[in-house]
Amino acid sequence: MDHYDIVFIGNMGTGKIIPFEGPPFIERGSPVLFAAIAATCSGKRIAAVTQVSEKEEYLLEPLKNAGINLFIKPGEIAKYRIVFPTANVDERQAFRVESGDNLSIRDVPPFEPCLIHLCCMGTREFQLDLMRELKGRGYLLSVDMQGFILQADGETGAIRHKDVPEKKEILSMASFVKLDAVEAQTLTGTDVLHDQADMLEDWGSSETVITSSEGVLARRKGKTAFMKFTNRITLGRMGRGDTVMGSYLARRLDHSVEDSLRFAATVASIKMESAGPFVGSLDDVVKRMDNPFPV
């Protein structure tokens, strides 16, 4: 069996981005892409399980270039349309164009025990079954609640935030839970970050990471930390939360919550200053941590 520090499982996809100003463009926009690449800057051994058709194998190039070991299932990718109706990059409307194929336990090789981060974008039933199977095999789990909360309308494709009836079971199975502030509000009913973290912890979340427009919060064993983003411009809003989580998990394997949070907020800040996944080195991140607001 192969050994990895973290295995990321999720769908490949593309998004047609329609910005508030400027022409539309196509972006490789899957959570597994942003999260796995962000994790590599910590020097950990990273793998990804995903699916892609032969004609779209070019989407895998950034993952390969980052040194990530790939386990590929032939299949259709997910396709989305993302509209930014105002200059506020946190205000966006999402539509599913093509759903892509689901990933199941049959697509996951028998890895040695490790941390697995689930960032799938499929039906709730498939994702929940996959979590249960992986937990039963003894893996340490991290989960992106986005895949459960964001659900597409069957007729219009419009993606809406919906509460998750199985949320307490999901939270209790995961060692790490990732959400953004809007997703957390959908589950908890409150828009106050600290209150969201309190409630999620009460429901079984061992370690919670919540991103917002200002920065990122982490909660563990009743203690909360918050770190602001330091990006000077925002050209790469897509993948912000995934970049935070991938870099946080990799750093968290051998660092404290506070240090990992600072590291992840820094990686995401660098990433947001250009489109696409994080491009940089550990040295770049350390320098930015020492000087958060370079001239």
Side-chain angles (χ1 to χ4, degrees):
M1 293 187 292
D2 293 313
H3 171 73
Y4 298 96
D5 295 302
I6 310 176
V7 175
F8 293 85
I9 300 178
N11 311 71
M12 290 300 295
T14 60
K16 182 177 183 180
I17 312 301
I18 303 175
F20 177 61
E21 296 178 333
F25 59 94
I26 302 296
E27 182 168 76
R28 307 175 193 196
S30 72
V32 70
L33 175 76
F34 291 108
I37 289 177
T40 62
C41 69
S42 288
K44 301 299 189 293
R45 186 165 166 77
I46 306 298
V49 178
T50 189
Q51 91 300 316
V52 69
S53 66
E54 185 176 349
K55 68 179 183 292
E56 290 157 328
E57 287 185 352
Y58 70 92
L59 295 173
L60 303 174
E61 291 172 5
L63 293 162
K64 292 177 180 177
N65 293 337
I68 296 166
N69 283 13
L70 299 177
F71 298 85
I72 309 300
K73 167 194 173 183
E76 296 303 313
I77 66 168
K79 294 183 180 179
Y80 299 90
R81 185 172 76 256
I82 312 294
V83 180
F84 291 90
T86 71
N88 179 2
V89 295
D90 284 316
E91 209 175 304
R92 52 182 177 171
Q93 301 164 349
F95 299 85
R96 184 183 68 191
V97 179
E98 295 181 22
S99 59
D101 293 334
N102 287 304
L103 290 161
S104 72
I105 193 66
R106 296 186 301 275
D107 305 313
V108 182
F111 300 113
E112 289 186 8
C114 64
L115 173 60
I116 289 182
H117 178 63
L118 291 163
C119 45
C120 303
M121 294 296 288
T123 62
R124 289 177 178 174
E125 294 78 14
F126 270 93
Q127 293 182 80
L128 190 53
D129 286 345
L130 180 56
M131 278 196 76
R132 290 167 176 157
E133 293 273 5
L134 291 169
K135 187 71 174 178
R137 292 188 180 185
Y139 291 107
L140 193 67
L141 298 183
S142 170
V143 64
D144 186 344
M145 291 299 296
Q146 173 181 257
F148 290 97
I149 295 169
L150 300 186
Q151 296 295 314
D153 182 273
E155 294 183 3
T156 67
I159 295 175
R160 302 282 185 252
H161 288 70
K162 296 183 179 180
D163 196 9
V164 182
E166 307 90 350
K167 58 191 174 187
K168 292 184 180 180
E169 178 188 0
I170 296 167
L171 295 173
S172 65
M173 282 195 288
S175 297
F176 301 93
V177 174
K178 174 253 180 190
L179 320 87
D180 68 19
V182 177
E183 292 158 3
Q185 182 177 1
T186 300
L187 294 185
T188 65
T190 177
D191 61 359
V192 180
L193 287 182
H194 285 71
D195 292 345
Q196 292 172 349
D198 285 347
M199 293 178 69
L200 292 166
E201 185 174 67
D202 287 344
W203 291 341
S205 180
S206 298
E207 189 160 328
T208 311
V209 176
I210 306 174
T211 59
S212 69
S213 58
E214 296 296 318
V216 55
L217 174 149
R219 170 84 171 193
R220 177 174 172 79
K221 293 184 177 180
K223 295 183 179 180
T224 302
F226 184 84
M227 186 63 59
K228 288 187 175 182
F229 294 126
T230 61
N231 52 299
R232 296 158 291 187
I233 56 175
T234 304
L235 298 177
R237 167 65 178 86
M238 295 295 296
R240 180 185 70 188
D242 303 305
T243 300
V244 165
M245 200 58 184
S247 53
Y248 181 85
L249 292 174
R251 186 77 168 182
R252 187 71 180 87
L253 292 176
D254 46 26
H255 288 79
S256 68
V257 170
E258 291 77 11
D259 178 272
S260 302
L261 190 67
R262 185 170 170 235
F263 183 86
T266 303
V267 173
S269 297
I270 295 172
K271 173 260 174 295
M272 284 191 285
E273 292 178 347
S274 60
F278 172 77
V279 177
S281 67
L282 180 58
D283 286 343
D284 295 330
V285 180
V286 172
K287 288 177 182 177
R288 185 69 168 264
M289 290 171 72
D290 292 336
N291 184 18
F293 298 100
V295 177

